[in-house]
Amino acid sequence: MNIRMVSIAVFAAIAGSIMYWSVKERPPAKPVIVIKAEPPEYLSYKDIMAGKKPLRPVFAMRDRYNKIRNIKEWHGKIILLNFWGTWCLPCRKEMPAFIELQKKYGAKGFQIIGVALDEVSKVNTFANKIGVNYPLLVGSLNAAELSRAYGNTG
């Protein structure tokens, strides 16, 4: 699998998600997310290449089974955090590749975590249909806020 294509697909999914939520009518968000940085600074690519450890915003969000999950559950793993929605065609197309990546590398410390900018019922219908084998968190507008906390702009 070409990592460049996966990277492009992830970028397209994030960009599409942000564009969608910037124009969609915004219902009140449910307070199911906590975001903070530990400590509140981010490292550049140059810093990471120099050996400094990158930091990530810490958050908790409900999964598709209504269980609150914390990003710290996956501490020590290599994480691909994918922001997506069932309404996003590129997102839907990339997910079978993510399922395969999780199968191939999950036992080696790689973890994909999907963060849906969507409704739980739609996420469950789609995830069950394609057989998603990694955690899916559902945050609606909170997921867009989390996306921005991770540095996505749009």
Side-chain angles (χ1 to χ4, degrees):
M1 168 138 326
N2 186 338
I3 193 73
R4 184 175 182 189
M5 290 186 63
V6 171
S7 298
I8 291 169
V10 170
F11 177 76
I14 291 169
S17 298
I18 291 169
M19 287 176 40
Y20 173 81
W21 286 104
S22 67
V23 297
K24 187 178 185 308
E25 182 180 321
R26 297 176 184 234
K30 296 177 184 175
V32 296
I33 186 171
V34 177
I35 301 174
K36 65 180 181 171
E38 294 181 340
E41 70 240 10
Y42 297 90
L43 299 177
S44 69
Y45 175 77
K46 192 176 191 179
D47 289 335
I48 293 168
M49 294 309 291
K52 293 182 182 178
K53 301 222 183 235
L55 305 171
R56 66 173 181 247
V58 176
F59 69 94
M61 185 178 289
R62 293 189 188 278
D63 68 11
R64 68 188 191 116
Y65 305 110
N66 204 31
K67 178 182 174 188
I68 294 179
R69 306 291 296 266
N70 191 305
I71 191 67
K72 289 182 178 183
E73 289 178 48
W74 301 284
H75 182 71
K77 294 190 175 210
I78 297 168
I79 297 173
L80 186 157
L81 193 61
N82 178 43
F83 295 91
W84 72 287
T86 60
W87 42 265
C88 171
L89 186 58
C91 302
R92 294 170 65 105
K93 286 185 176 183
E94 73 190 1
M95 288 183 76
F98 290 160
I99 291 167
E100 290 305 312
L101 283 171
Q102 186 63 48
K103 279 182 197 172
K104 187 172 181 178
Y105 298 108
K108 297 177 182 178
F110 178 70
Q111 181 64 59
I112 297 176
I113 304 167
V115 179
L117 291 87
D118 217 320
E119 299 171 15
V120 173
S121 61
K122 291 178 181 177
V123 169
N124 282 330
T125 299
F126 179 70
N128 291 337
K129 181 179 176 182
I130 67 166
V132 173
N133 60 350
Y134 53 86
L136 294 177
L137 311 180
V138 184
S140 188
L141 289 178
N142 291 323
E145 180 183 339
L146 179 61
S147 175
R148 286 188 293 280
Y150 270 85
N152 296 316
T153 59

